[in-house]
Amino acid sequence: MAVDDECKLKFLELKAKRNYRFIVFKIQEQQVVVEKVGSPQETYEDFTAALPADECRYAVFDFDFTTDENCQKSKIFFIAW
């Protein structure tokens, strides 16, 4: 199965520049394509609302959190829906 170049580009932008909160991917005509991107201001609830109830999707989510030592951190999660 092929992966559209836009998928790779959007993921690299999220990883390096943090200009998206999440990216949702779908399979369309034997190719993985970008379905939706979320702005950095969007929340996890916005992300889950973007996922269809009865269809498969892949997604990456940039999760911000604070450690016990009060340090701001961020992790990127890959999600198979």
Side-chain angles (χ1 to χ4, degrees):
M1 180 165 308
V3 176
D4 188 60
D5 288 337
E6 183 186 14
C7 295
K8 299 171 195 172
L9 180 66
K10 295 289 185 194
F11 175 73
L12 290 175
E13 287 178 13
L14 181 143
K15 185 177 172 184
K17 300 177 185 174
R18 306 284 195 213
N19 29 336
Y20 308 115
R21 176 65 55 201
F22 63 85
I23 307 170
V24 178
F25 305 98
K26 70 178 182 177
I27 298 173
Q28 180 176 314
E29 299 173 10
Q30 298 298 320
Q31 186 170 350
V32 179
V33 296
V34 173
E35 180 178 51
K36 179 172 175 55
V37 295
S39 70
Q41 295 77 28
E42 294 197 55
T43 64
Y44 183 75
E45 287 73 25
D46 298 323
F47 166 67
T48 57
L51 297 170
D54 58 350
E55 295 180 33
C56 298
R57 293 292 185 270
Y58 298 102
V60 288
F61 184 83
D62 186 10
F63 179 68
D64 293 329
F65 61 99
T66 305
T67 66
D68 292 338
E69 294 80 28
N70 206 27
C71 295
Q72 288 292 110
K73 297 270 185 162
S74 176
K75 294 279 184 184
I76 298 173
F77 289 91
F78 176 78
I79 300 164
W81 177 260

